[in-house]
Amino acid sequence: MGITVLLSVASCNDILDVDLPSNVIPREDVFSNQEAIEAAIDGLYAENLFNLGIYEYVIPMYLSPASDESYHNLPTTYNFEEFRKNAYSASNSYIALLWSYPYESALLSNDVIEQLSKTTVISEEEKQHYIGEAKYFRAYDYFVLTNLFGDVPWVKSSNIRETGLLPRESKEKIITDPEGIIDDLEYAKTSLTNSDNDNTRVTRSAASALLARVLLYHEDWAKAEAEATEVIENSEYELETDLDKVFLRPSKETIFRASSAAAMPSYVGRTYFAVIELNASYLRLTDDLVNSFEENDLRKEKWLKNETAGYVHAYKYKRNTATAAGDAEDLVLLRLAEQYLIRAEARAQQGNLSGAIADLDTIRNRAGLSDLSDTLSKEDVLLAVENERRHELFVEEAHRLWDLVRTGRAAAILGNKTNFPDKQWEPYKALLPIPEKELTLNSSLTQNPGYAEIK
Amino acid sequence: MLSLYKNTIVKRYNIFKSRKPNGKFAFSSLLLFFGIVINSEIIYAQDYNASPTGNTGKVEADVIELEQGSNTVNALKGRVSGVEVENGKLKIRGQSNVEDKLAEPLVIIDGVQLPSGFSWSANDQFSPLNLLNSSSIESVEILKDADATAIYGGKGANGVVVIKTKKVLEQKLRVSVSAAAGSTGVDSWYDFLSTGEYLDIRNKAFAADGITPDEKNAYDLLLWGDKYNTDWQKEFLGQKGKVYNGNISISGGISNKTTFFINAGYFESGTVLLAEPDDKQQRINTKLLVNHRGLNNKLDITASIAFNKLNIQSRGDNPSSNLINAPNQPLYNDDGSLYWLNSSVVNPLRHKYVVTQNKGTDLITNLQTHYSFSSDLNAILDVGYSRNTAEQFQSYSGKYLNPYANNSYKNRVLAGDSYNEKFLVEPRINYTKKWDNHSLTALLGASYQADHFAGDDLELRDFPSEFFFRNYAVAPVKYLVNSNTEDIKRASVYTRIGYDYNAKYIFSGTIRRDGSSIFDRENRYGNFWSLAGAWIFSDENFIRNNLGFLNYGKLKISHGVTGNDNVTPFQYITAYGASTYPYEGGAGLILKRVANPQFSWEKTQKSEVHLDLAFLNNRLQVTGAGYLHISNSLVGNQPTAFQTGVDSYKDVLQDVVLRSRGIELDLVSTNIRNRNFQWLTTLTLTIPDNSRITSFPGIENTSYASTRKVGERLSITRLYQFTGINPENGVSTVKDVNEDGKITAADDKLFLKDTDPDYYGGLHNSFRYKNWQLDAFFYFEKRPFQEGYLKTYYYPAGYIGKNVPRSLVKDYWSPENPGGTLPGLTTTTTSDIGYAYFNHYTESSAVYTDASYIRLKNVSLAYTLPEAATRKLKAKNIRLYVRGENLWTLTEFDEWDPETQTAVPAFRTITAGATLLF
């Protein structure tokens, strides 16, 4: 019959080709156009800093109560309580998010890195600049993942149909191997210029600052000191003398901040620490932290707020909506004070106690506190570092929890049943359990020790 | 006209229709007063594409007109077996995809495809079907099985709805005028506690909790007093809307070769929800059709253009949660402004300040050309174009906002504009050959369709005042929430061969090749087929001789494979798209999906057995059908470990099978047929077992794990199993399945139940005595398990600010009533009773109830003026009628309405009108 002829006519593809939906842009089109490439880099910022929670509220919100500094005031139906009690279970949905957000972020970076390395429409210099920004975000993703889970699958490709079965890679390799955290940050450092923006983009200093933190955690004291020094000696940054101005937009102390000029969402994250009625109840500070401030510590006066209802919450950020420029606040991702504290610790570890004390005093003086005695032992200095980090960096990221874990002090503090009768701290709690769903979907994954294996 | 089966079957079978002068003016409903015609032959005899062996159901004008609501789809409820109508949406024989949104049937109006709905903007109530004027519709057919839907191919995989509007093609001038007016509104109310009773229960609950009321936990007791006694239902839904309907048709001819038909209609219905005088929906329908026959009647051209317009102005949104507010909550301050207590107590009347204005238009043009080369060979060319637009506007006045709350905006407008275009060309060639007792037809057809959609959604905030709401430029904050265009093209070629011997053994087969731009080039095309056979066994001598009471008997069997391209398009492209938020003013682009080029058409195998019988001089006609649909190659979310960066991607789900099956029964009985009195009964019954997952390897790892289960239907819910009220403390208990002493969702929420109906159908009785005619239509549905009041409005008796129906305070637990069947009173979520109530009880089988019902959906009483009187008025026919909708319901369902399953019940509407034919 003639039908055969007609059927084959209909096989001519052209009659069915259509314009793509206007909101779908093929990847190859993006990476063959200069403006689109810039937009893809903006996309990394928007997605990382606003939409995925890891830079915003997720990390402090979930992990701060796992330390000794805060607790949630939420109905028990939310399984946040597992964090406060260090009673982590592999089925906890928030632990699943702590796993998935960094990987979602890494996928975006991986694709941009892969595609940029092939593109020819921009100069080599621009290419390296953009790749540097993408690598910064990827390094942060793995910094979070390795801190939380130890060895994790190391995914460096956007080929989602193949990367789903990768096994865990050693944390050490992820930190030190090529394309690992340190390598990515060093790449970012060399490919990025120093601040040519308003600290709303990753700069050479931002890469240095994060690298200093990574090296500190990795106990590479000399290099950590060097990176911190590079940032501290950069004249663009200086400590704000007025504690009320530290988190304001023009703060000179800010190394990297989320630009919330037009977008509301970066305020959302902040509201967990801010004053508004609705959210102030989310994260409340423990008496343990509140009572540990020295008598005349200005941070206690400026950065804490007592509510009449009888609880205290952090008051570093004070606004909940976008406001006029002078008062505007942005979510601060990296600030100079931390670099002083990194260097103090690195110096102390290398035996340079006076250098360490000098750095600590810089932070203490700003808070209205007197100099430390210069006769402290190394142990005392390290304790002073711990103490200063606690009072300077509370409910920022997961500083307190990670400090206690990496310095081996968690058992003494979180395991103290008198102070925290509810906590079930054990050494293996230094790592979270791998979410159980991941174990089921990727049979090559193994559970962290101490957590019951899934049948 | 090709009418292979017309002469043989139609005459014999269609006792009712034979009285209708064929092709005459549609106002023959006087003569044809029985709504439903079951046998497909009638339809197909006049349809070029027709399959004599397919299964369809059809509803005609007089039945559709009985439904006065704005949605024509409602008229199909209970009228056609195998068709489920839920809140204006149609589902034909279940759904064939594991994803919920994709089961909508294809809607064809006068040969042109309509989009199934606008789901674009804030309020998606805008079904294009709402734009149709029910009184201009000639018929709505539902095509169900593989054979009947075969010529529509992939588009028709979920069934096809074919709507034909009225037309008359005669030279003689005819004018028909009809008008009706009436009233619509809610007429059944929940029995809530009065203020006195409410306060009493609250006080008792405080006593039970052992809590002292203070201004924070008992503002309703201590601050509000008993000044007000508001029935929120009446406040929200208490008003009646007026309904007006008018229609005029003029038909005639310039010659006997060129005729025209003009129709214009107006419909208006007041809205009910918090209505202000201006709130109403208005619809205008116009149509012009011209037909020309030429070249010795070899050429037949029909051109038509229809334009419909719908405006809706209404207030508020779904009022459900507001109807259970405390009866003593103050409404207004002394100065007439809304009363607000604090940031967390909502004044329900704020919904007065949400105004929705939707405007839709619908342009349908069509050109049908039919040319007969000879009596054996015809060629047909259909060209159609339709364009629907929707302009949606919703304003939130600042008065809507709670002044104590932290509002992120003030004076806000949500606006959306979209349009949908469809262009369709369908050429066909028909060949018929008859010799001796043999008859052969061959149809060769092709179709090409191009669809285009474009739409924008805007959000505008912080207008200085309501005065500027229409002036978007004034808004200081503007978001483009959504903006998209979408193009889809489809092309098909198909052939259908029909053969019959002696009009007794009938066969038909269809083969088609469909292409769709939704898939990648390599996977774009699919081949599909169907085969059907019918045997009119009543024509066999051995039947005729032995079973004389059987006037007609036909057995039909069909089987086929249909394809469905109704999946998310363009998945074969690795795509970037706009990030959720901009960064530093510039829109960001992010990776949205990684391509999966692999998937292609979803396939459903459809089988059907169908039996038509007529007895007692054709006075009893019975049609039974059994169907079995097996769907595979389904597209869904393939789970992956999150280390990839995603938790799933769209893929063909291997070995996932979905099954729908069911039994359908249609019956038409002429109980009495005298000169002066006639009584006719029609009954439809569907016993479905639809959308059951029969195979889904590895489902526990997919995103479907918590919502679907192998062996169960798609509509299952997971619940705790209610095990009664603890007689010692009034706490509701549920089964601890794994007996670990803890109630946890993962381990104990394992009670599975689906909410599908066991059966449903309709019963229509029509009585005619001389000039009087009475019609009554009942819809019935057996749905033993549906979320009821306690699930939807989940506050326990005694809770702050929430009223409850009287039935919920009849048998609650208390120390004096230890055998109470409802949990004890509590004012808080943290008491043992309260905790169990919110976390277990309302998530358990206890709050599901039987939602079965019988409803008198339509009643109509009509009187036709005697001929003498009619003649005096120079009319051909005059008819007066009174109609009522939803007048009576029988149900045990404990929520507002078993049909809508929301707080807005099906409206009771009563109208009176007249139809005049000149």
Side-chain angles (χ1 to χ4, degrees):
Chain A
M1 295 277 294
I3 187 82
T4 346
V5 181
L6 270 158
L7 288 173
S8 56
V9 169
S11 293
C12 163
N13 276 311
D14 294 331
I15 59 164
L16 289 184
D17 285 347
V18 292
D19 291 339
L20 290 173
S22 56
N23 62 8
V24 168
I25 308 171
R27 179 167 66 188
E28 57 269 28
D29 292 1
V30 173
F31 291 92
S32 52
N33 175 296
Q34 168 119 24
E35 282 82 17
I37 290 173
E38 285 168 20
I41 301 302
D42 284 351
L44 289 182
Y45 283 92
E47 207 62 12
N48 275 297
L49 305 187
F50 298 153
N51 203 36
L52 294 169
I54 47 171
Y55 289 83
E56 201 188 337
Y57 64 92
V58 165
I59 287 186
M61 172 78 177
Y62 298 0
L63 297 171
S64 164
S67 75
D68 59 350
E69 66 183 10
S70 68
Y71 61 99
H72 297 112
N73 179 51
L74 282 172
T76 47
T77 41
Y78 295 81
N79 46 13
F80 276 127
E81 278 297 273
E82 290 187 9
F83 290 108
R84 183 177 65 84
K85 295 180 177 169
N86 306 128
Y88 317 120
S89 70
S91 58
N92 187 300
S93 56
Y94 300 104
I95 292 179
L97 291 174
L98 287 169
W99 176 273
S100 64
Y101 285 146
Y103 276 119
E104 280 183 68
S105 165
L107 171 66
L108 302 179
S109 284
N110 282 334
D111 200 55
V112 167
I113 294 165
E114 275 170 3
Q115 299 305 316
L116 278 176
S117 55
K118 289 186 272 185
T119 188
T120 53
V121 296
I122 50 175
S123 71
E124 194 58 32
E125 198 186 355
E126 286 170 312
K127 195 189 273 193
Q128 284 175 15
H129 188 280
Y130 293 143
I131 291 176
E133 288 173 280
K135 287 195 165 190
Y136 174 91
F137 288 114
R138 183 168 75 178
Y140 184 77
D141 298 331
Y142 281 101
F143 171 72
V144 170
L145 282 167
T146 50
N147 275 328
L148 292 175
F149 299 99
D151 302 345
V152 293
W154 191 12
V155 179
K156 290 169 280 183
S157 143
S158 63
N159 191 343
I160 58 171
R161 295 165 76 82
E162 285 170 11
T163 54
L165 292 174
L166 289 176
R168 298 173 72 169
E169 182 61 85
S170 87
K171 176 177 174 178
E172 181 64 23
K173 280 174 81 87
I174 296 174
I175 294 171
T176 56
D177 270 15
E179 288 198 271
I181 300 172
I182 292 174
D183 187 47
D184 273 355
L185 288 173
E186 277 173 349
Y187 183 101
K189 234 186 103 178
T190 49
S191 68
L192 294 170
T193 51
N194 238 329
S195 184
D196 57 352
N197 60 65
D198 205 8
N199 302 322
T200 56
R201 305 271 163 168
V202 179
T203 55
R204 179 185 164 90
S205 296
S208 266
L210 182 58
L211 184 53
R213 190 196 295 176
V214 169
L215 292 167
L216 180 81
Y217 279 42
H218 196 236
E219 302 184 352
D220 196 338
W221 314 119
K223 283 189 183 160
E225 182 186 351
E227 293 298 337
T229 301
E230 185 178 329
V231 179
I232 291 166
E233 287 178 353
N234 184 335
S235 59
E236 285 179 55
Y237 310 112
E238 58 190 59
L239 291 180
E240 284 290 338
T241 47
D242 181 351
L243 285 174
D244 282 334
K245 291 185 176 165
V246 172
F247 296 91
L248 294 183
R249 184 167 294 161
S251 168
K252 292 282 280 175
E253 185 174 336
T254 301
I255 299 165
F256 183 29
R257 65 182 168 96
S259 171
S260 47
M264 311 260 296
S266 67
Y267 287 91
V268 174
R270 285 212 332 254
T271 53
Y272 289 98
F273 322 113
V275 67
I276 62 168
E277 188 184 359
L278 181 69
N279 289 322
S281 58
Y282 275 12
L283 217 52
R284 298 176 173 186
L285 301 181
T286 59
D287 293 347
D288 200 70
L289 171 65
V290 174
N291 298 334
S292 69
F293 282 93
E294 285 171 55
E295 188 69 15
N296 38 12
D297 192 330
L298 287 171
R299 291 172 295 202
K300 189 173 178 177
E301 179 193 321
K302 306 264 190 186
W303 287 357
L304 302 187
K305 189 163 190 210
N306 293 287
E307 292 292 333
T308 44
Y311 62 87
V312 181
H313 63 84
Y315 199 51
K316 288 178 168 176
Y317 298 100
K318 299 174 174 38
R319 264 158 277 280
N320 62 346
T321 51
T323 60
D327 287 352
E329 293 172 344
D330 292 301
L331 185 67
V332 175
L333 306 167
L334 291 169
R335 61 187 179 99
L336 188 60
E338 185 201 353
Q339 296 302 311
Y340 277 101
L341 294 169
I342 288 172
R343 191 170 69 176
E345 187 173 344
R347 282 177 169 172
Q349 290 286 1
Q350 297 173 95
N352 176 2
L353 298 184
S354 60
I357 289 169
D359 282 339
L360 287 173
D361 286 343
T362 308
I363 299 302
R364 287 174 60 82
N365 294 344
R366 197 256 303 255
L369 298 174
S370 55
D371 285 352
L372 292 168
S373 147
D374 49 14
T375 59
L376 295 174
S377 68
K378 178 179 174 186
E379 230 159 49
D380 290 340
V381 173
L382 287 173
L383 273 181
V385 168
E386 179 190 306
N387 197 41
E388 213 50 54
R389 288 180 67 91
R390 185 182 192 196
H391 295 135
E392 180 69 27
L393 302 174
F394 62 95
V395 299
E396 288 180 58
E397 303 208 28
H399 279 298
R400 176 66 175 166
L401 176 70
W402 289 340
D403 284 351
L404 293 178
V405 167
R406 69 185 170 83
T407 57
R409 292 265 297 147
I413 292 181
L414 304 180
N416 181 334
K417 283 279 175 191
T418 324
N419 283 354
F420 303 102
D422 279 354
K423 285 199 187 283
Q424 301 168 26
W425 184 263
E426 307 228 21
Y428 74 83
K429 303 285 177 80
L431 297 178
L432 295 176
I434 308 284
E436 68 181 8
K437 198 177 158 207
E438 303 303 318
L439 296 171
T440 329
L441 285 166
N442 179 1
S443 52
S444 59
L445 290 185
T446 51
Q447 186 51 282
N448 274 328
Y451 297 99
E453 287 280 350
I454 303 299
K455 47 273 173 194
Chain B
M1 191 180 278
L2 172 79
S3 55
L4 176 55
Y5 304 102
K6 194 175 180 181
N7 299 329
T8 52
I9 302 167
V10 173
K11 257 187 206 160
R12 181 199 312 251
Y13 187 27
N14 186 1
I15 53 164
F16 309 125
K17 191 112 180 190
S18 58
R19 295 209 250 154
K20 177 179 175 181
N22 196 15
K24 290 277 156 56
F25 190 67
F27 183 72
S28 47
S29 53
L30 263 184
L31 300 169
L32 173 80
F33 63 86
F34 342 89
I36 299 169
V37 182
I38 306 163
N39 52 333
S40 52
E41 287 80 3
I42 300 152
I43 303 153
Y44 285 127
Q46 297 155 9
D47 194 323
Y48 308 122
N49 282 331
S51 158
T53 43
N55 186 3
T56 67
K58 183 173 180 177
V59 181
E60 299 207 331
D62 35 7
V63 162
I64 294 161
E65 277 187 64
L66 291 178
E67 189 76 32
Q68 300 148 93
S70 58
N71 195 332
T72 309
V73 172
N74 265 337
L76 300 174
K77 195 160 183 162
R79 301 285 187 177
V80 185
S81 60
V83 177
E84 255 183 278
V85 182
E86 246 171 59
N87 292 322
K89 294 220 157 155
L90 278 174
K91 208 185 260 188
I92 298 173
R93 289 185 172 174
Q95 79 182 57
S96 59
N97 193 299
V98 288
E99 316 217 293
D100 284 321
K101 57 181 176 109
L102 306 168
E104 304 218 5
L106 172 72
V107 180
I108 304 275
I109 174 161
D110 289 337
V112 183
Q113 187 188 340
L114 277 191
S116 55
F118 286 106
S119 55
W120 183 243
S121 191
N123 32 21
D124 66 350
Q125 57 183 350
F126 232 55
S127 167
L129 290 171
N130 283 352
L131 272 76
L132 298 178
N133 173 2
S134 56
S135 55
S136 73
I137 288 173
E138 173 71 38
S139 68
V140 178
E141 282 169 62
I142 311 285
L143 313 189
K144 299 190 280 201
D145 75 330
D147 184 48
T149 59
I151 59 133
Y152 295 99
K155 291 180 288 181
N158 293 312
V160 183
V161 180
V162 179
I163 299 171
K164 289 186 178 151
T165 59
K166 287 174 183 170
K167 59 180 180 185
V168 184
L169 302 175
E170 276 196 329
Q171 191 182 356
K172 197 172 170 195
L173 189 70
R174 283 165 184 270
V175 178
S176 165
V177 181
S178 68
S183 145
T184 188
V186 178
D187 252 334
S188 61
W189 307 104
Y190 235 95
D191 189 16
F192 276 109
L193 302 184
S194 67
T195 289
E197 294 163 307
Y198 168 79
L199 295 175
D200 180 49
I201 285 292
R202 286 278 291 149
N203 280 315
K204 285 180 176 157
F206 273 109
D209 282 338
I211 295 174
T212 312
D214 60 37
E215 289 193 0
K216 203 157 187 193
N217 66 22
Y219 48 79
D220 54 339
L221 287 176
L222 302 176
L223 300 177
W224 289 353
D226 55 6
K227 182 176 161 201
Y228 288 90
N229 184 10
T230 307
D231 183 340
W232 290 102
Q233 303 170 88
K234 302 239 165 95
E235 199 69 35
F236 269 77
L237 299 165
Q239 301 186 60
K240 292 274 185 285
K242 292 195 173 69
V243 179
Y244 304 99
N245 202 351
N247 200 71
I248 179 163
S249 302
I250 303 168
S251 65
I254 294 140
S255 67
N256 62 354
K257 287 186 173 164
T258 305
T259 51
F260 66 87
F261 173 78
I262 298 168
N263 186 73
Y266 177 77
F267 171 84
E268 179 183 313
S269 168
T271 61
V272 168
L273 180 63
L274 289 172
E276 299 280 329
D278 284 352
D279 296 348
K280 59 191 165 196
Q281 58 171 292
Q282 297 166 290
R283 192 178 60 209
I284 295 165
N285 300 87
T286 57
K287 181 174 178 177
L288 169 65
L289 180 145
V290 179
N291 174 267
H292 177 75
R293 271 167 258 178
L295 303 175
N296 290 330
N297 276 344
K298 283 186 167 177
L299 179 69
D300 187 318
I301 298 181
T302 305
S304 72
I305 176 162
F307 180 75
N308 307 313
K309 186 166 167 57
L310 177 69
N311 289 351
I312 302 177
Q313 176 167 312
S314 62
R315 234 152 267 268
D317 45 26
N318 184 357
S320 306
S321 60
N322 300 302
L323 302 184
I324 58 167
N325 277 277
N328 65 336
Q329 177 169 358
L331 311 184
Y332 299 102
N333 297 315
D334 292 339
D335 64 357
S337 59
L338 289 187
Y339 165 87
W340 297 94
L341 173 69
N342 59 32
S343 64
S344 56
V345 177
V346 167
N347 186 329
L349 288 184
R350 68 181 184 154
H351 283 281
K352 282 188 169 184
Y353 301 105
V354 181
V355 180
T356 302
Q357 290 170 313
N358 286 342
K359 293 179 183 173
T361 66
D362 192 359
L363 176 72
I364 301 170
T365 63
N366 193 16
L367 179 68
Q368 292 175 309
T369 312
H370 180 228
Y371 186 80
S372 304
F373 294 100
S374 68
S375 61
D376 294 342
L377 188 65
N378 308 299
I380 303 118
L381 178 67
D382 281 359
V383 181
Y385 170 81
S386 74
R387 183 182 165 100
N388 307 82
T389 66
E391 182 187 323
Q392 311 194 339
F393 170 89
Q394 191 164 42
S395 61
Y396 290 77
S397 152
K399 293 179 191 135
Y400 172 82
L401 299 172
N402 185 334
Y404 296 100
N406 207 306
N407 298 303
S408 54
Y409 64 87
K410 50 188 185 193
N411 290 329
R412 179 172 71 142
V413 166
L414 304 177
D417 281 314
S418 65
Y419 72 92
N420 230 310
E421 276 181 325
K422 289 179 185 291
F423 174 70
L424 178 73
V425 186
E426 287 202 311
R428 299 189 288 285
I429 297 172
N430 252 308
Y431 176 74
T432 313
K433 185 71 188 169
K434 290 183 190 183
W435 71 101
D436 304 331
N437 288 324
H438 306 274
S439 169
L440 180 73
T441 58
L443 168 72
L444 186 60
S447 110
Y448 172 77
Q449 182 178 336
D451 299 349
H452 176 71
F453 165 86
D456 299 311
D457 268 358
L458 302 174
E459 183 174 347
L460 306 121
R461 288 181 176 179
D462 304 344
F463 287 93
S465 90
E466 297 167 40
F467 178 79
F468 298 103
F469 270 166
R470 283 289 182 182
N471 239 314
Y472 297 168
V474 175
V477 182
K478 306 178 187 77
Y479 294 107
L480 181 64
V481 179
N482 224 334
S483 171
N484 199 16
T485 63
E486 188 170 280
D487 286 271
I488 292 173
K489 287 179 184 169
R490 296 184 177 92
S492 312
V493 286
Y494 58 92
T495 183
R496 154 165 260 159
I497 311 287
Y499 166 80
D500 79 74
Y501 176 73
N502 210 8
K504 194 156 69 176
Y505 309 107
I506 306 166
F507 301 94
S508 95
T510 306
I511 310 175
R512 58 181 302 123
R513 183 166 171 80
D514 289 327
S516 167
S517 64
I518 280 172
F519 306 117
D520 199 10
R521 282 189 165 192
E522 285 69 42
N523 301 314
R524 203 165 260 179
Y525 291 90
N527 298 324
F528 308 100
W529 57 271
S530 75
L531 268 179
W535 173 36
I536 300 172
F537 54 85
S538 52
D539 281 358
E540 301 288 354
N541 284 332
F542 66 89
I543 300 278
R544 220 175 266 163
N545 296 338
N546 294 314
L547 301 170
F549 60 89
L550 186 72
N551 306 112
Y552 182 77
K554 183 164 85 168
L555 178 70
K556 296 189 279 191
I557 295 176
S558 70
H559 181 77
V561 177
T562 60
N564 184 9
D565 69 347
N566 203 350
V567 301
T568 319
F570 309 111
Q571 292 289 317
Y572 57 88
I573 290 167
T574 297
Y576 270 62
S579 54
T580 315
Y581 304 105
Y583 195 72
E584 306 220 283
L589 288 177
I590 56 162
L591 180 67
K592 286 284 185 183
R593 65 164 172 259
V594 180
N596 181 355
Q598 294 187 348
F599 60 81
S600 185
W601 294 83
E602 296 189 325
K603 286 180 181 152
T604 299
Q605 294 184 42
K606 297 184 175 177
S607 314
E608 182 182 270
V609 179
H610 186 109
L611 189 66
D612 287 331
L613 299 170
F615 310 93
L616 305 168
N617 275 334
N618 285 327
R619 283 172 64 168
L620 177 63
Q621 302 176 31
V622 182
T623 299
Y627 64 89
L628 174 67
H629 294 180
I630 303 283
S631 305
N632 49 28
S633 332
L634 300 174
V635 170
N637 294 326
Q638 180 70 47
T640 169
F642 229 131
Q643 64 197 56
T644 55
V646 295
D647 64 345
S648 67
Y649 49 86
K650 294 265 184 242
D651 203 353
V652 178
L653 301 172
Q654 294 302 321
D655 303 318
V656 175
V657 180
L658 203 61
R659 182 190 69 199
S660 290
R661 60 185 179 182
I663 294 169
E664 299 165 356
L665 188 73
D666 292 276
L667 182 146
V668 182
S669 167
T670 314
N671 306 322
I672 296 174
R673 185 169 49 181
N674 288 332
R675 192 185 164 76
N676 284 334
F677 184 65
Q678 280 125 41
W679 174 22
L680 183 102
T681 300
T682 62
L683 173 76
T684 72
L685 176 68
T686 307
I687 308 172
D689 175 13
N690 287 338
S691 314
R692 205 178 268 283
I693 297 173
T694 53
S695 159
F696 199 144
I699 188 172
E700 58 279 4
N701 298 330
T702 70
S703 60
Y704 306 106
S706 58
T707 52
R708 315 266 193 247
K709 187 165 191 282
V710 177
E712 299 289 340
R713 295 174 184 157
L714 293 181
S715 71
I716 54 163
T717 34
R718 271 168 198 273
L719 301 165
Y720 295 114
Q721 195 172 347
F722 178 59
T723 47
I725 305 296
N726 185 336
E728 288 175 6
N729 55 16
V731 173
S732 51
T733 61
V734 296
K735 192 170 179 188
D736 180 10
V737 177
N738 65 344
E739 298 183 334
D740 64 349
K742 285 188 294 187
I743 302 298
T744 45
D747 299 329
D748 303 318
K749 212 170 177 180
L750 298 174
F751 183 72
L752 299 177
K753 198 93 170 152
D754 66 66
T755 53
D756 287 358
D758 286 354
Y759 59 83
Y760 59 88
L763 176 70
H764 187 136
N765 274 293
S766 188
F767 306 91
R768 207 181 106 197
Y769 178 69
K770 292 188 176 167
N771 289 359
W772 292 88
Q773 183 182 329
L774 176 68
D775 285 273
F777 175 68
F778 291 89
Y779 176 81
F780 58 89
E781 182 174 289
K782 177 77 176 166
R783 194 186 288 266
F785 200 74
Q786 180 67 245
E787 31 179 88
Y789 182 90
L790 289 166
K791 172 72 182 173
T792 321
Y793 308 97
Y794 52 91
Y795 296 99
Y799 200 76
I800 187 165
K802 302 296 174 191
N803 204 350
V804 290
R806 192 161 282 116
S807 60
L808 291 185
V809 295
K810 283 211 170 106
D811 192 24
Y812 60 84
W813 177 93
S814 67
E816 296 74 41
N817 182 25
T821 53
L822 291 160
L825 303 179
T826 187
T827 63
T828 159
T829 57
T830 51
S831 67
D832 288 347
I833 291 175
Y835 180 83
Y837 191 96
F838 286 103
N839 292 296
H840 304 147
Y841 186 67
T842 50
E843 299 287 310
S844 80
S845 52
V847 297
Y848 280 68
T849 56
D850 191 324
S852 307
Y853 70 102
I854 300 173
R855 171 163 282 170
L856 177 55
K857 276 195 76 69
N858 305 107
V859 180
S860 162
L861 178 67
Y863 175 71
T864 307
L865 262 60
E867 231 171 281
T870 311
R871 250 201 311 269
K872 247 182 239 167
L873 294 163
K874 302 237 176 352
K876 288 199 182 70
N877 187 296
I878 297 174
R879 192 181 196 221
L880 310 171
Y881 60 82
V882 185
R883 288 172 184 161
E885 254 183 85
N886 302 319
L887 295 185
W888 176 84
T889 307
L890 177 68
T891 184
E892 302 264 290
F893 189 51
D894 71 355
E895 232 210 90
W896 263 275
D897 190 79
E899 183 175 352
T900 64
Q901 290 167 15
T902 69
V904 184
F907 290 175
R908 180 177 294 180
T909 307
I910 295 173
T911 51
T915 311
L916 297 88
L917 174 63
F918 300 96

